[in-house]
Amino acid sequence: MGQKLKIAGWVTAGALAGALTTVSLQTVARSSMAPLPLEELQQLAAVFGMVKTDYVEPVDEKKLISDAISGMVAGLDPHSQYFDKKSFKEFREGTTGRFVGVGIEITQEDGLVKIVSPIEGSPAFRAGLKPNDLITKIDDTAVKGLSLNEAVKKMRGEPNTKVDLTIFRKDESRSFPVSIVREEIRTHSVRGKVVEPGYGWIRLTQFQDRTVDDFATKIMEIYKQEPNLKGLVLDLRNDPGGLLDAAVAISSAFLPENVTVVSTNGQLADSKFTYKAAPEYYLRRGGSDPLAQLPAALKSVPLVVLVNEGSASASEIVAGALQDYKRGIIMGSQTFGKGSVQTVRPLGPDTGLKITTARYYTPTGRSIQAKGIVPDVMVDETAEGSPFAALRMREADLDKHLNSGQGEEKKDEAREKAREEARKLLEEEAKKPVTERKPPEFGTDKDFQLAQAINKLKGQPVLISKTLVERKEEKKEN
């Protein structure tokens, strides 16, 4: 494999929306550097001096420098980032699937934090918190006005410390306080089951440290229950990404050995690399290969891959590879379009720089960036359609996003019209009771897209979307 993979120690792939990005942790020696722009650096020093002496009150020098670095990096693209001590720790927690907190999956509603689901066995689960509960206060801080990230930071902390939450439970029309002791939470990124005789479903919610091992275990459980598996659904909907080596491994589980899974290309020599379906490309710590125990039949079992606008980066790598080799039928809606590589370079023991260094390409050379993966079969979320799909954020909607590098982006004039129509529908939907607005849970018998995937595997008619179309690249406005 050469020196390139020996240098790369940690590679992850994910989306801004899901809190993870594509990253490789490595140290690269620079043999040469372009001359520094001395005049501009003198201006920077002059501004620093003026702020120090002229600002209305004293400012911390270290904070000024840290903010200057953050602003410089943030101006590049949505995924490059300077990590201070706290954010670096949070980033590493995200890739391991472990963090210290109360143990809830959350979203935002009407400016408040809504509990999507308590993680089974977590402090929040034991405290009796339920889906659709609203968090109105965290300790003495009102949630209204906080961003979701700010709320998350306030609920996380050190193990065995207490956080007080004020909960509003809509269906009971009451508010009540709950005191929860934080502890280490480990999220599980793999779910699966036999949905009906002969057909299995396996869902990846994120690509983490344990994902490949848990995937292998779950596949073995499915085959033990159903030895003559006729078809499998790989569910990557709303999977924001995670570790790149996990994405390479999951692809390898279904593909012939040694075929290309994904390639990267950028300015640096080390950013030009091809990852293949072989253990040396996804085993970071050596040891045994968890995929070695999988049944040989997995390489040929009929496969449907479910994706949507929330499927990003590592998810898109897997979907793109399986699509290029025609190993599975991709169904759902066009993916997020996060196809850039970020490299994390340490700046000290507790700080680092995450900077975009390359783009991802599928085995046939398609750029994922700002395009995403277009399904072979477009399928709506429900039998009634996907009325709010136009409102969902994708890579191409992010400020300062990179283009694909494969041709000019073109503006889709019909998109704003579709968004306006979707906004009106959303306003009407908001007037309905909460129970009528809750979308069906993935993997249940009310999961419309899963039902269509099973129909496809059986060779039965599939209700193809009448409204979803490929979203072309849009022209960037400077």
Side-chain angles (χ1 to χ4, degrees), residues 140-290:
D140 295 324
T141 303
V143 170
K144 196 86 168 179
L146 293 181
S147 69
L148 203 57
N149 282 340
E150 289 170 334
V152 168
K153 287 179 180 179
K154 288 187 175 295
M155 285 187 282
R156 291 190 180 181
E158 296 300 317
N160 301 316
T161 58
K162 187 182 72 169
V163 60
D164 294 321
L165 304 179
T166 302
I167 305 297
F168 175 67
R169 186 162 288 167
K170 283 185 177 182
D171 55 0
E172 298 177 11
S173 296
R174 69 183 181 101
S175 290
F176 56 93
V178 176
S179 290
I180 298 178
V181 177
R182 299 179 179 97
E183 62 183 49
E184 184 177 87
I185 308 297
R186 178 171 173 177
T187 59
H188 296 279
S189 62
V190 181
R191 295 166 54 199
K193 63 182 179 179
V194 174
V195 290
E196 60 179 81
Y199 298 92
W201 169 77
I202 189 160
R203 172 162 169 72
L204 306 186
T205 59
Q206 202 168 298
F207 290 81
Q208 299 174 339
D209 271 337
R210 289 280 313 167
T211 296
V212 180
D213 293 275
D214 292 345
F215 170 83
T217 300
K218 187 59 67 175
I219 287 290
M220 295 298 290
E221 289 176 5
I222 290 173
Y223 267 96
K224 186 176 181 181
Q225 185 178 344
E226 192 60 66
N228 299 313
L229 199 64
K230 299 176 184 177
L232 181 68
V233 178
L234 175 62
D235 191 346
L236 301 178
R237 289 173 295 176
N238 290 348
D239 183 330
L243 296 170
L244 173 58
D245 51 21
V248 174
I250 299 302
S251 302
S252 301
F254 298 101
L255 294 173
E257 191 173 357
N258 283 320
V259 300
T260 294
V261 173
V262 65
S263 62
T264 62
N265 189 30
Q267 206 175 174
L268 290 170
D270 287 329
S271 68
K272 305 175 192 299
F273 196 71
T274 298
Y275 295 86
K276 297 190 175 183
E280 58 264 34
Y281 291 85
Y282 57 79
L283 290 181
R284 286 183 291 134
R285 302 183 183 89
S288 60
D289 179 9

Side-chain angles (χ1 to χ4, degrees), residues 309-310 336 381 386-395 397-398 414-430 468 471 474:
E309 296 90 346
F336 186 79
E381 296 171 2
S386 300
F388 309 118
L391 295 177
R392 296 206 177 92
M393 182 75 73
R394 296 180 68 251
E395 176 77 12
D397 298 313
L398 300 179
R415 184 159 177 77
E416 279 306 314
K417 182 179 178 182
R419 280 176 168 164
E420 186 57 35
E421 291 173 355
R423 287 188 192 101
K424 291 177 181 177
L425 282 172
L426 188 62
E427 290 174 4
E428 292 300 315
E429 188 75 8
L468 290 176
R471 179 177 168 184
E474 297 178 16

Side-chain angles (χ1 to χ4, degrees), residues 440-474:
E441 184 183 350
F442 292 158
T444 66
D445 57 0
K446 296 179 181 177
D447 185 341
F448 177 76
Q449 290 180 323
L450 176 57
Q452 301 314 302
I454 297 296
N455 285 346
K456 185 69 177 177
L457 290 169
K458 291 179 174 180
Q460 297 178 355
V462 172
L463 293 178
I464 298 173
S465 173
K466 297 178 181 178
T467 56
L468 290 176
V469 294
E470 177 182 352
R471 179 177 168 184
K472 304 291 186 181
E473 277 194 274
E474 297 178 16

Side-chain angles (χ1 to χ4, degrees), residues 337-474:
K338 167 64 172 65
S340 62
V341 182
Q342 281 70 45
T343 300
V344 173
R345 307 198 192 284
L347 299 175
D350 300 312
T351 60
L353 177 66
K354 173 160 64 76
I355 187 169
T356 301
T357 54
R359 290 181 177 88
Y360 277 125
Y361 298 87
T362 70
T364 59
R366 294 182 294 155
S367 174
I368 294 171
Q369 177 61 21
K371 287 184 173 181
I373 302 299
V374 179
D376 302 305
V377 181
M378 294 279 200
V379 177
D380 287 317
E381 296 171 2
T382 69
E384 290 73 38
S386 300
F388 309 118
L391 295 177
R392 296 206 177 92
M393 182 75 73
R394 296 180 68 251
E395 176 77 12
D397 298 313
L398 300 179
D399 189 30
K400 299 184 178 71
H401 74 272
L402 293 178
N403 62 23
S404 67
Q406 294 182 335
E408 184 183 7
E409 297 182 356
K410 296 180 180 179
K411 186 73 175 176
D412 184 356
E413 297 295 341
R415 184 159 177 77
E416 279 306 314
K417 182 179 178 182
R419 280 176 168 164
E420 186 57 35
E421 291 173 355
R423 287 188 192 101
K424 291 177 181 177
L425 282 172
L426 188 62
E427 290 174 4
E428 292 300 315
E429 188 75 8
K431 298 174 183 177
K432 296 180 181 179
V434 176
T435 52
E436 293 181 24
R437 285 188 274 135
K438 186 180 178 183
E441 184 183 350
F442 292 158
T444 66
D445 57 0
K446 296 179 181 177
D447 185 341
F448 177 76
Q449 290 180 323
L450 176 57
Q452 301 314 302
I454 297 296
N455 285 346
K456 185 69 177 177
L457 290 169
K458 291 179 174 180
Q460 297 178 355
V462 172
L463 293 178
I464 298 173
S465 173
K466 297 178 181 178
T467 56
L468 290 176
V469 294
E470 177 182 352
R471 179 177 168 184
K472 304 291 186 181
E473 277 194 274
E474 297 178 16

